[in-house]
Each structure stands twice: as structure tokens, then as C-alpha cells.
Amino acid sequence: MSDVDHLHELLGLPAVDFRHDPGDGPRPAAGAAAWRISVDPYEDEDHTWEQEFASFLEAVDPAGVRALIIGQWGESYEEKSSYPIGLVTAAADRLTSLEAVFVGDLTMEEAEISWIEQSDVTALLTTFPALVELGVRGGSHLAFPPTRHERLRSLTIQTGGLPVAVVRGVLDSELPALERLDLWLGVSAYEGDADVADLAPLLSGTRFPALHHLGLRNSELQNEIAAAIASAPLVARLRTLDLSCGTLGDEGAAALLEGQPLTHLEVLDLHHHFLTEPVERRIAESLEPHGVRVDLSDRCEPWGGRGAEGRYTSVSE
């Protein structure tokens, strides 16, 4: 599975595409699936996401729905996600068991990740106090003003470029139950203008007291992030650390090896990297005997033999 495929699950529930015409087979129970609501603007120009969502609320008991995946809602590079989010929040009195929402489950064929028009996704947190998982794909016009939510345990933001205002908004939020944070920082060419200094409140360990999984991924600053991680107080209480999909090279890996011990981790994910084979071996030999599962798959070569300048993130546009 690539990093920008359709979701296969949410909240541990299998992703199921809702269709207003189900065909021959029965639908799963409302709470047994993560329901993906999508429309194809090219296949059926007269059928809107609003109509599909209305059909969903009538066909599936909304009071039993636990997980909702917002897929393609039309011309997603023209219409902002405030359109489907507004319809979901307006139905809050019917979606009384909702625990997880993912906004923008589009593949590259439907819309490049940096073309997905997002909006202020904290409206979902404000409206659904029982939400435990929130995921977002796409950084264009994404907003995340500082907010407080008592129950959110997992926050994932997948972008080709994450605006610094969003990073600061997330890190200024009060999320006492947050256990998993996964940020795709991206590249400056697509609005990814945060730098390592902006991550300092997170890496200091003073934010999110329950956090045990951290992903700082898909970044053109992956070496600098690795160097900061090497001495970050937060790392001592992590179980899993994900620095994958970025431009990590030997210099970043050396900082990890020379920094604080990582032998307490359960998983270190470095897939899609630019490490040489000797450095790969050093990492594996220093961590795997301690039971750390290290993912060093997908070694990449710089474009055009340009060395460090030719390194690239897994996802940008």
C-alpha cells in the first residue's frame, strides 16, 4: 500500500464504500464499518455529496455510525472541505456515536494531495466531543486554530506541505488524551514553511502528556528533525517513532545513533530514506538486538546524481 492510497480502515474498522444503490449484497451494520462517502464529479455530474450523504443517513442507522471517511466531495481542488464538514456537523444530533472522522481520503488519481482544498477542521472537534480519531489529507487552506478536546487520542495530518500556522495551532491545542500524533510536514514549494524551531514545544515533552507515538514525516528537513530528536526530552516516553518518507540521509542517521538511546522504542520507521548500506547496518545492529522493529525499506537514490540536493520526499504535489 502506498502512503496515499484510500484508507483500508479507521478506528480499527474496515473501510466500506457507501453506495446509495447497494446492488445485491447486504450492507454491514452501522457500527461495523468505517463508512466512506464519495462522489465522482465526472461519472455522475448531477449527484452531489450532499445527496449521497443524505442517502447514507437514511439507509444506515446514523446513531450507530462510529467512523466516517469523507472521500471525494466533488471538484475537490475547487470546493473546500467546509462543504462536507458542514453537512456532517449539521447531522451531529443524528451521529450520536461518532468517534472517528477522516477528511479528504482521495488518491492521486482523484486529486494531487496539495490540490485538496481543506478548511478549518477543528469544527469537527468542537461539534463532536466524543471524537477519539481525526485525520486529514491535504494542506491547501487547511486551518487548525488552537482548540481543546478532552477525548481525542489520535491526530493525523497528511500533506505535501504543512503550513506553519497549522503546526503552531496543533501544538498550542489542549489535547490531554492525545496518544498518537502524525504530521506530514512536506516541502516549502507547497506551503510547508515550518522549521525545526516550530517543533520545540512538542519535542520538549511539555505538550500532550499521553503521547507515545510520534510521526514527523515526509519532510525536506528530515535530517534536521533527526538531529533535534536525538536530544529531545519527549523521546524517552515514546513507544514508536516515525521519521519516514522524507530526505533522511547518513548525517541524520548519525545524529540519531550518537544521541540519546532509542533502545526503549518498539518501532523506528525510517522507510523511504537516502541512507547508505553501512549506515543502514549500523542502525539495525544497534537497535534490533534490543527488540526494536526498524523499517529501513525503500532506499532511494537522489535525482540526477545530485547528492543531498537531489533528495526528495515521498509526497509533495
Side-chain angles (χ1 to χ4, degrees):
M1 180 175 111
S2 79
D3 292 286
V4 287
D5 278 346
H6 281 142
L7 295 187
H8 290 180
E9 64 175 34
L10 183 66
L11 198 69
L13 301 171
V16 171
D17 290 293
F18 173 78
R19 294 288 180 262
H20 58 277
D21 179 2
D24 298 328
R27 292 190 175 100
W35 295 96
R36 180 164 37 237
I37 316 296
S38 300
V39 295
D40 186 336
Y42 306 107
E43 185 175 291
D44 189 352
E45 296 180 5
D46 298 323
H47 190 69
T48 66
W49 200 92
E50 182 175 7
Q51 292 170 321
E52 190 76 351
F53 186 57
S55 296
F56 169 73
L57 294 176
E58 292 304 315
V60 176
D61 176 17
V65 173
R66 298 177 59 210
L68 188 64
I69 300 170
I70 298 175
Q72 190 167 21
W73 55 82
E75 295 281 6
S76 304
Y77 53 86
E78 294 180 355
E79 181 120 46
K80 292 183 180 179
S81 65
S82 52
Y83 162 50
I85 288 173
L87 294 168
V88 172
T89 56
D93 60 339
R94 303 177 69 184
L95 295 165
T96 51
S97 299
L98 194 63
E99 297 178 74
V101 181
F102 190 97
V103 185
D105 185 28
L106 282 74
T107 65
M108 184 174 64
E109 289 74 22
E110 293 168 319
E112 299 281 3
I113 194 169
S114 293
W115 296 3
I116 301 171
E117 290 291 314
Q118 285 292 349
S119 60
D120 183 352
V121 296
T122 62
L124 291 161
L125 297 175
T126 303
T127 306
F128 295 101
L131 218 62
V132 296
E133 288 192 26
L134 177 62
V136 183
R137 182 175 294 164
S140 181
H141 294 103
L142 179 62
F144 200 107
T147 190
R148 181 174 180 87
H149 195 280
E150 298 294 335
R151 295 194 59 187
L152 191 71
R153 296 199 302 260
S154 176
L155 176 61
T156 297
I157 303 179
Q158 304 174 345
T159 75
L162 188 58
V164 65
V166 175
V167 174
R168 291 171 179 168
V170 169
L171 300 190
D172 285 341
S173 293
E174 297 293 331
L175 304 172
L178 193 70
E179 299 174 353
R180 300 180 61 86
L181 178 63
D182 195 359
L183 302 177
W184 296 20
L185 298 168
V187 302
S188 57
Y190 290 97
E191 301 183 75
D193 54 351
D195 60 29
V196 175
D198 296 304
L199 301 173
L202 171 65
L203 299 181
S204 71
T206 61
R207 311 298 299 152
F208 314 138
L211 197 72
H212 61 71
H213 166 88
L214 176 62
L216 296 173
R217 308 176 57 195
N218 195 54
S219 177
E220 63 186 355
L221 302 178
Q222 211 70 61
N223 287 309
E224 293 90 334
I225 291 169
I229 286 285
S231 60
L234 172 67
V235 172
R237 58 182 170 90
L238 295 180
R239 299 179 201 162
T240 57
L241 176 61
D242 189 342
L243 303 178
S244 66
C245 296
T247 59
L248 186 71
D250 285 358
E251 56 272 46
L256 289 175
L257 288 167
E258 294 163 8
Q260 64 186 303
L262 300 176
T263 51
H264 66 288
L265 293 175
E266 296 173 7
V267 177
L268 175 63
D269 190 343
L270 302 178
H271 83 270
H272 179 101
H273 61 81
F274 294 83
L275 308 184
T276 59
E277 287 188 46
V279 173
E280 278 189 24
R281 285 195 299 272
R282 282 184 61 201
I283 291 177
E285 291 168 0
S286 66
L287 296 177
E288 289 178 347
H290 297 275
V292 183
R293 298 196 306 276
V294 183
D295 187 345
L296 289 163
S297 61
D298 192 15
R299 182 196 303 130
C300 304
E301 294 295 331
W303 279 323
R306 294 166 54 199
E309 292 184 359
R311 295 174 187 168
Y312 50 90
T313 61
S314 179
V315 178
S316 53
E317 184 180 11

